[in-house]
Amino acid sequence: MGCLLSPESSDLDLYRETVLKTADAIIASIKDGKAYAGPEPRALNKIISSYEILPQHGSGFDSVLADLKKDVLPNFLRTFSTEYMAHLHSAALLESLAAELIISSFNQSMDSWDQSPVATEVEEAVTKFLASLYGLADGAFTSGGSQSNLTGILLARDWYCKSVLNHDVQKLGLPQSYSKLRLYTSSVSHFSMEKSCHLLGLGYNSVVKVPVTKNQKMDLDELERLIQKDKSQGNLPFCVVATIGTTDFGSIDEVEKIKEITDRYNIWLHADACYGSALVLSSKYKERMGNLGLCDSLSVDFHKMFLLPISCSCILLRDPSDFAPLEYHADYLNREEDEADGFTNLVDKSLQTTRRADALKVWVSFRTRGADGFETIINTLVENAAYTYEKLNDVSSCKAGFCFESGPRPQISSVVFRVKKQDGSFTPQEEDELNKKIRRHLLQDEGIVIGQTVYDERVFLKFTLLNPNVTHKNLDGILDTILKSASTYGQL
């Protein structure tokens, strides 16, 4: 039929032709260094809405590719641009794009060995290596950090209910006291904590947000006070989530000290290290993340600081037996006799059934770059953030009556700051509006995409530096553009 990859020479030729045409179209769409060169939202919506999604008669790939060239490829966000630094959303290493092509071409499903023979063995080898890298024991790949966190919290809930309350959630559902279960995480942690507790039947009210210190780390005195308060009220503290690299600030909670508290109260310790886990490959900065081998579960993302394509994440455990709540044997899929004969069915460690062979991206990129190659990348990202922070605090950077105010000193590669009037003549509200205008101007008029957040109840701008191609010259240029924008919008 000419529609599938097959051993037929004509199909193999068509596959090669399709891939090469697509690669050429992608290359042709990259005409400058801007992070975004497309229209504003309403105009872009109008362009895409003009296309019929499912015509009665297909127009063929060449016709669709022409439309892609005209209206889609030029309007993608370019994560590889040195002018993109808005989110924890990285460019992808070239070899990992080759791995993506392999993954999509063979389309394995990671639930049973007979759907993914070598891909299963690759994932098993990679997860065992990763577990040893962090001082843990076992793991499984997931669709992203939110699912990794959901898995860790689910396992924490079931462990606590079984070991402390003598109640098997897997068989019996939630215990009558489920509304008393409490999870503790910092006030600047990821929103997947609330979403996970909602999905697990515990609700947002089960999440206790612990205040943070000035440097945006969890206040451990407050953590223990809140645990004691809940216990005195008859509530059930079951999990503490440490954040190893918060989304906005890159701040790192103190795992060793948190572990002392969780051991004291018999609480599961999960670490959301989706951002900061990459520090493990930097001999220079590894100590900043703490000893993650103390955690009961750990979330790691590879589509952030490791620079792999979305999606690529994993959940790692200290005790492999804690995966037990995810086991369920189906006669058509993960038969018990298969496992006795050495067939590994990874569905027993996953919330998902059908799942991509994402571990191959790690296998390919780790072997291609090596430990020293990744260390160079990670050190560059951390040091770019440190350079930016010093630049922001250099009074000689001020121009045309405007200067910068920085947030906390960066621990990883995120830097938050705001533009303010040098003479202090703007109110905080006027400065908030100015910073909002600057970010929007950069996006729509300059092709520069940076972030925006709130720090100390004020609007701040944000650089999330995940591109090792960014130089100090690039950073100087963007900061200069920001101040020029301030001098324009600050007069309005």
Side-chain angles (χ1 to χ4, degrees):
M1 290 180 65
C3 65
L4 298 174
L5 184 59
S6 84
E8 295 294 325
S9 60
S10 58
D11 290 335
L12 295 174
D13 288 343
L14 183 58
Y15 172 80
R16 179 185 296 108
E17 180 184 348
T18 302
V19 170
L20 291 176
K21 282 181 178 178
T22 304
D24 286 343
I26 292 169
I27 291 168
S29 74
I30 303 171
K31 301 180 186 298
D32 54 49
K34 291 184 176 181
Y36 181 67
E40 53 85 27
R42 290 185 182 86
L44 188 56
N45 175 269
K46 186 176 181 180
I47 291 169
I48 299 304
S49 296
S50 69
Y51 285 99
E52 187 179 5
I53 302 299
L54 182 64
Q56 184 63 38
H57 302 289
S59 55
F61 180 70
D62 285 347
S63 174
V64 174
L65 183 60
D67 293 335
L68 286 167
K69 289 179 181 179
K70 180 167 70 78
D71 288 328
V72 177
L73 295 179
N75 296 323
F76 269 116
L77 175 74
R78 298 167 187 167
T79 56
F80 47 81
S81 168
T82 56
E83 296 184 347
Y84 177 66
M85 48 187 69
H87 301 285
L88 285 169
H89 177 197
S90 72
L93 297 169
L94 289 175
E95 67 273 9
S96 69
L97 300 181
E100 275 285 358
L101 179 61
I102 295 169
I103 292 167
S104 58
S105 295
F106 284 94
N107 202 32
Q108 310 291 278
S109 183
M110 300 304 298
D111 38 340
S112 61
W113 195 94
D114 61 2
Q115 296 180 84
S116 54
V118 73
T120 295
E121 302 304 335
V122 167
E123 179 165 324
E124 282 286 88
V126 170
T127 51
K128 284 180 171 56
F129 169 76
L130 293 171
S132 67
L133 188 65
Y134 292 100
L136 297 167
D138 197 10
F141 273 70
T142 73
S143 67
S146 290
Q147 190 183 86
S148 292
N149 288 332
L150 172 62
T151 304
I153 295 169
L154 181 152
L155 298 178
R157 180 200 67 183
D158 285 17
W159 165 83
Y160 183 87
C161 288
K162 195 164 190 177
S163 64
V164 178
L165 304 181
N166 196 30
H167 180 91
D168 190 337
V169 175
Q170 188 179 24
K171 293 179 180 178
L172 303 173
L174 292 174
Q176 288 186 343
S177 57
Y178 75 92
S179 63
K180 296 181 178 181
L181 291 169
R182 293 292 181 268
L183 175 146
Y184 305 83
T185 187
S186 89
S187 60
V188 292
S189 65
H190 195 260
F191 65 83
S192 58
M193 307 313 152
E194 283 89 347
K195 290 188 75 171
S196 294
C197 286
H198 166 213
L199 292 170
L200 294 173
L202 308 180
Y204 289 176
N205 289 343
S206 68
V207 180
V208 180
K209 302 306 281 280
V210 182
V212 293
T213 60
K214 188 66 177 175
N215 59 11
Q216 304 301 295
K217 296 185 179 187
M218 188 189 295
D219 186 322
L220 302 188
D221 290 335
E222 281 295 299
L223 170 62
E224 188 152 23
R225 184 187 69 79
L226 288 166
I227 291 172
Q228 291 174 346
K229 177 184 175 183
D230 274 322
K231 289 182 72 68
S232 71
Q233 294 174 347
N235 292 321
L236 304 172
F238 78 97
C239 181
V240 174
V241 178
T243 305
I244 312 303
T246 58
T247 302
D248 278 337
F249 310 105
S251 47
I252 298 172
D253 292 335
E254 298 172 283
V255 168
E256 290 89 348
K257 293 181 180 179
I258 295 174
K259 177 63 173 174
E260 293 174 7
I261 295 172
T262 57
D263 280 353
R264 198 149 51 237
Y265 296 97
N266 196 23
I267 299 172
W268 181 285
L269 174 56
H270 174 71
D272 174 4
C274 290
Y275 181 8
S277 52
L279 293 177
V280 74
L281 297 183
S282 169
S283 58
K284 192 172 181 181
Y285 300 110
K286 178 180 178 180
E287 288 186 1
R288 292 187 180 182
M289 70 179 192
N291 181 5
L292 300 186
L294 297 173
C295 302
D296 296 293
S297 55
L298 171 69
S299 295
V300 177
D301 270 5
F302 299 96
H303 52 240
K304 291 184 172 67
M305 213 172 177
F306 288 96
L307 310 187
L308 300 191
I310 296 168
S311 59
C312 198
S313 181
C314 73
I315 177 76
L316 301 173
L317 298 186
R318 191 152 56 106
D319 184 349
S321 68
D322 286 325
F323 272 125
L326 301 178
E327 292 178 9
Y328 187 88
H329 288 281
D331 291 338
Y332 64 88
L333 187 64
N334 56 335
R335 296 160 290 271
E336 293 187 32
E337 65 266 23
D338 286 354
E339 295 171 19
D341 292 334
F343 291 86
T344 301
N345 298 313
L346 294 177
V347 71
D348 290 336
K349 297 193 292 183
S350 177
L351 292 176
Q352 296 170 271
T353 304
T354 303
R355 185 163 58 78
R356 301 177 79 249
D358 290 319
L360 184 67
K361 292 180 281 194
V362 179
W363 192 88
V364 168
S365 296
F366 274 23
R367 298 187 70 248
T368 298
R369 300 277 159 180
D372 54 353
F374 270 97
E375 176 157 25
T376 298
I377 289 171
I378 292 158
N379 288 352
T380 298
L381 304 181
V382 173
E383 287 160 11
N384 275 345
Y387 172 83
T388 304
Y389 182 80
E390 295 303 324
K391 190 78 175 179
L392 292 166
N393 287 282
D394 183 350
V395 293
S396 66
S397 298
C398 299
K399 290 184 180 178
F402 292 91
C403 58
F404 294 110
E405 175 188 348
S406 63
R409 181 180 292 275
Q411 290 296 295
I412 310 179
S413 65
S414 292
V415 189
V416 297
F417 61 95
R418 63 195 261 113
V419 177
K420 63 179 183 179
K421 203 75 160 99
Q422 197 168 5
D423 62 8
S425 59
F426 277 17
T427 66
Q429 292 75 21
E430 287 173 330
E431 286 179 352
D432 285 351
E433 289 306 311
L434 173 61
N435 282 275
K436 291 177 184 179
K437 288 178 181 177
I438 289 171
R439 187 192 68 85
R440 188 67 62 83
H441 163 70
L442 294 180
L443 172 65
Q444 291 298 156
D445 301 322
E446 303 287 348
I448 299 171
V449 185
I450 67 172
Q452 178 183 311
T453 189
V454 173
Y455 170 65
D456 203 18
E457 300 185 350
R458 298 265 66 90
V459 172
F460 271 66
L461 303 176
K462 182 176 71 163
F463 286 178
T464 306
L465 300 169
L466 294 181
N467 188 335
N469 290 337
V470 170
T471 64
H472 293 178
K473 184 178 179 181
N474 295 139
L475 293 165
D476 291 345
I478 293 174
L479 291 175
D480 188 57
T481 300
I482 288 172
L483 286 181
K484 287 179 180 176
S485 301
S487 65
T488 298
Y489 287 95
Q491 309 305 321
L492 300 181

